Each structure stands twice: as C-alpha cells, then as structure tokens.
Amino acid sequence: MGSIAKLAKRALETEAPVMVKIQELLRGATDVMSLAQGVVYWQPPEAALSKVEQIIREPSVSKYGADDGLPELREALLQKLHKENKLTKSSVMVTAGANQAFVNIVLTLCDAGDSVVMFAPYYFNSYMSFQMTGVTDILVGASNPKTLHPDVDWLEKVLKGNGPIPKLVTVVNPGNPSGAFIPKPMLQKISDLCKTAGAWLLVDNTYEYFMYDGMEHYCLEDDHIVNLFSFSKAYGMMGWRVGYIAYPSEVDGFHAQLLKVQDNIPICASIIGQYLALYSLEAGPEWIRERVKDLVKNRELLVEAMSPLGEDNVRGGEGAIYLWAKLPDNCSDDYEVVRWLANKHGVAVIPGSASGGPGFLRVSFGGLKEADTRLAAERLRQGLQQLVTDGMVQ
Ligand SMILES: Cc1ncc(COP(=O)(O)O)c(C=O)c1O
C-alpha cells in the first residue's frame, strides 16, 4: 500500500517512541514488573475527583474553552507560580501536558534548520520534538559522569564560538532520565550564558515536587527563560493531560505567536482535565509531598538492587523518579539487556540509548507501591547479579 516516499521526512527521520519500542521488545514476555515508564502509582486527590464527577454534565465542559486555559485555572496557576516558584513576571498557558507545552515552545521559538542544545542523557520526547519540527541540528552536550550535571564549559564554548548561535538551550530539572538536580548557581550560569548569547533557555520542571534529602526546587525567571510544568506526576494525572507554560510577559509578540500554535494543536486542553487540575490545586503541595516522601524507600530498594553493578555505577535519584545506571563494559547493547531482563527475570527498564546514553539503564522508582517495588527490585538484583557474573545466559 503506497510508498514510504510519500511520508514526511520529518516524521520518518524522527526516532520511534521508546515506550513503543519497549512494548515491542517485551512482546511475548509474561509476568513482567515495570520499572520502565515514568509514572507514579497514585490517583488524583479524591476530593478533586468527586468534584469533577459532579460537573461532567455541565454544557461548558463539552464546549471549547479559551485557548490559554480556563480563566480560573490560569488565575490559580499564576498564584501558585508566584507563591511557590517565585515567578512574578510570567504569563501562563495551559496545555495538554508538558510534552505538548514543549512542542508549542519549539514551534513558537525555533525555525527548521536552527540549532538547539540538549545535554545527554536527555529526555527522549524533547529530542523527538526537535526532530519532528525540522530542528535537526541538535547539539548534544555531555554531563559530568559523576554528578550528571550539564557540561557548562562546553556550553560556554558553543555559545561564545564562531559557529551559529543555538536558538534554544533546554534542561530538565530535576532530570529525566538522570534524576540529577542542577544546583541554582549552575543553572544561573547557564542562564547568563544564554542571555549574553541571545539564546532562549527552556527549563522543564515536570518533577518540581520530586525532591529528596532536604533539597529544594527553584525556578529562574527572565525575558529569555521559559518554564514548563506538568500535573501528570505530581497529582497522578498522567491520563488527564494537563500541563502549563510560564513564559515571559514582557516579550513582544510571544503570546500572539504561541496562541497560533496552541489554536492549531489542541485549541484548548481538555476542559474536564483542566477542572480536575483546578480542584487538585486545592489539595496543594503538601498532598503531593506526602506521597513523594514514600518514594524514598522505593529509591533505597532499587539502589540496593543495582549494587551488583558497583556503587559508583548507580547515579541520580536526587530528584525526579529515576536512577541512572552504567552497565558492565561488555554490555553496550542496552536494548538487548532490557529484552533479556524482561524475558529472563521479569522486570522492565528503559535502555539508556533512548536518551543518548548507550550502555546505561534508566530505572524508575515512582510507578509501583513499596511492596511491588520490593518484588521488582529482587528480580532486578538477581538479573544484574547474573549479568555481571555470567553474562546474558538464556
Ligand atoms: C521531563 C518530562 N517532561 C515532560 C513529560 C511529559 O509530561 P506530560 O504528561 O505532562 O506531557 C515527562 C513525562 O515523563 C517528563 O519526564
């Protein structure tokens, strides 16, 4: 049927989604526990779900809403941004999740052919968003192998070099897949370099509440900075598809151009989802932190499970819901390791290659309750032990 030549090069040349690849890889494997997908195990706040139940028949829920988002949700978000994130000069647009927010920003700020900067290991969907919008000159900087922090010296050379200045630099803080948290002075330095060079800085704060060991999240604000947020993990709202963009109010034309993109992709985020987001905000950050603090035990169980790889080879986990682990040197085919762990040991993880980190694995500690994490951790420990001592025996 037809020819592949009729399909867009932009799409053809974009990576395949890693979760789809994993599903294919796991086809036929039975009884697999997942430490793969970046999800949390909890449901949205009960009171918020009950309120939503009561309004589903209201006609406004089934109509289109304002492109920017429900006015009452935007107002609540502006207050939240002000109070919690100390963002006082930002405007807000509600999107169908942070992924759509990312695409909106790329389409608003970048032209096909522009160069952009990411740091490996990077969030795979961001990489795909650049590729599929024609922004194919993706400069990938390294991260420090110990801290997993971006290589700022490299960035400085790129931004002060003779080549074309990248249009946009992006980081995830705390990181996916690294689980590393960029300290404020470092992000400030990145921001200053971007500002001087005339580049945008896009910060994905999807995991703003997922902070451990007393560390506190922060945001930066300036006319060259865009911040993204998500309701997905914080409030267990993955399927409701609500995120938002905090963008600089003072930049001429920003809103007008962003609105064009928004109007042509979702028109507006799902209205019922936006109501659930509004009601969930009433539960507030304490509700989220109550749940996040339980993840510390999951993280501990999984760090222990990965000890066969050697202590120095398991990093991250300062924030977000991820650990980033280096496989033994003779295991460069991380997809094969993932397939083997699923088939032989009944546990699924993500191959580092999907994030520009071949020879690594990403392990998520958010998707299972403690009892299940314990079971999955035991499978992972046995698998990694066998991998290290005997290799991928069938
Ligand atoms: C860094 C990061 N950004 C964005 C997303 C997607 O979030 P949403 O569900 O709000 O689109 C994820 C989900 O895993 C993520 O890890």
Side-chain angles (χ1 to χ4, degrees):
M1 281 250 305
S3 151
I4 207 160
K6 290 185 179 162
L7 303 176
K9 251 171 63 185
R10 274 183 298 96
L12 289 169
E13 290 174 5
T14 296
E15 306 292 314
V18 64
M19 283 318 300
V20 175
K21 283 200 214 168
I22 297 289
Q23 277 151 15
E24 273 163 25
L25 205 103
L26 300 188
R27 193 168 297 143
T30 49
D31 181 29
V32 177
M33 300 190 82
S34 179
L35 299 169
Q37 205 168 9
V39 291
V40 294
Y41 63 75
W42 52 84
Q43 287 272 301
E46 190 47 43
L49 286 171
S50 298
K51 277 189 164 181
V52 155
E53 248 173 354
Q54 285 159 26
I55 61 162
I56 50 170
R57 288 190 175 73
E58 282 186 17
S60 65
V61 167
S62 296
K63 293 187 174 149
Y64 292 122
D67 286 34
D68 285 313
L70 288 178
E72 53 273 54
L73 176 58
R74 291 182 57 233
E75 186 47 45
L77 289 175
L78 284 174
Q79 282 179 27
K80 177 263 178 193
L81 289 171
H82 195 150
K83 190 165 161 228
E84 293 181 33
N85 307 105
K86 311 291 176 251
L87 301 179
T88 56
K89 292 180 274 184
S90 298
S91 299
V92 73
M93 172 179 275
V94 183
T95 55
N99 269 6
Q100 192 236 316
F102 194 93
V103 174
N104 272 17
I105 293 303
V106 176
L107 289 172
T108 301
L109 300 181
C110 301
D111 287 304
D114 280 346
S115 63
V116 292
V117 167
M118 309 180 80
F119 292 91
Y122 47 71
Y123 174 44
F124 30 78
N125 278 120
S126 303
Y127 195 86
M128 290 170 69
S129 297
F130 287 132
Q131 289 181 309
M132 71 171 59
T133 50
V135 183
T136 47
D137 190 11
I138 308 171
L139 309 176
V140 179
S143 295
N144 179 305
K146 289 203 174 95
T147 60
L148 303 178
H149 292 152
D151 183 345
V152 183
D153 294 338
W154 170 84
L155 179 67
E156 185 161 10
K157 283 190 200 114
V158 170
L159 290 176
K160 290 184 174 166
N162 297 327
I165 298 299
K167 196 69 185 292
L168 182 150
V169 172
T170 187
V171 293
V172 182
N173 200 31
N176 175 4
S178 68
F181 181 56
I182 306 173
K184 195 167 182 180
M186 182 177 272
L187 192 58
Q188 188 63 58
K189 174 93 199 273
I190 292 174
S191 167
D192 293 346
L193 289 169
C194 289
K195 188 170 175 137
T196 309
W200 290 96
L201 173 62
L202 178 53
V203 185
D204 183 334
N205 302 287
T206 287
Y207 300 97
E208 62 176 320
Y209 295 111
F210 293 75
M211 301 292 303
Y212 310 99
D213 312 318
M215 281 196 273
E216 280 188 30
H217 188 263
Y218 62 87
C219 287
L220 299 181
E221 185 171 50
D222 205 333
D223 280 354
H224 65 291
I225 302 179
V226 179
N227 282 291
L228 305 185
F229 301 88
S230 171
F231 278 87
S232 291
K233 326 284 162 148
Y235 288 103
M237 281 179 53
M238 283 79 59
W240 292 82
R241 312 304 306 128
V242 188
Y244 52 106
I245 305 169
Y247 61 93
S249 309
E250 304 281 302
V251 177
D252 278 349
F254 197 122
H255 177 246
Q257 308 319 313
L258 183 60
L259 204 63
K260 293 178 192 171
V261 178
Q262 174 82 343
D263 198 67
N264 276 285
I265 304 184
I267 301 183
C268 60
S270 144
I271 301 292
I272 197 72
Q274 292 193 63
Y275 274 114
L276 182 63
L278 177 66
Y279 301 146
S280 293
L281 284 175
E282 290 168 12
E286 276 321 304
W287 184 93
I288 307 165
R289 292 199 182 102
E290 271 298 300
R291 283 150 185 80
V292 167
K293 79 176 168 25
D294 288 345
L295 298 182
V296 172
K297 186 67 195 173
N298 287 2
R299 182 185 63 171
E300 186 188 312
L301 289 167
L302 289 167
V303 168
E304 210 288 310
M306 287 192 278
S307 58
L309 294 175
E311 203 184 319
D312 287 348
N313 291 323
V314 181
R315 307 268 175 197
E318 288 175 333
I321 48 177
Y322 306 111
L323 293 162
W324 181 248
K326 186 177 177 310
L327 289 167
D329 287 339
N330 58 351
C331 294
S332 56
D333 190 346
D334 45 6
Y335 272 95
E336 259 324 296
V337 174
V338 167
R339 187 202 304 273
W340 177 79
L341 281 172
N343 284 295
K344 175 91 181 167
H345 292 279
V347 65
V349 295
I350 295 274
S353 296
S355 297
F360 286 78
L361 296 180
R362 186 195 81 172
V363 175
S364 168
F365 53 87
L368 301 176
K369 288 188 176 167
E370 186 185 323
D372 283 336
T373 302
R374 208 173 274 281
L375 294 176
E378 186 47 30
R379 293 180 183 194
L380 186 62
R381 199 192 58 74
Q382 282 183 14
L384 294 177
Q385 187 62 62
Q386 188 169 47
L387 184 71
V388 169
T389 46
D390 306 319
M392 287 189 267
V393 284
Q394 296 304 320

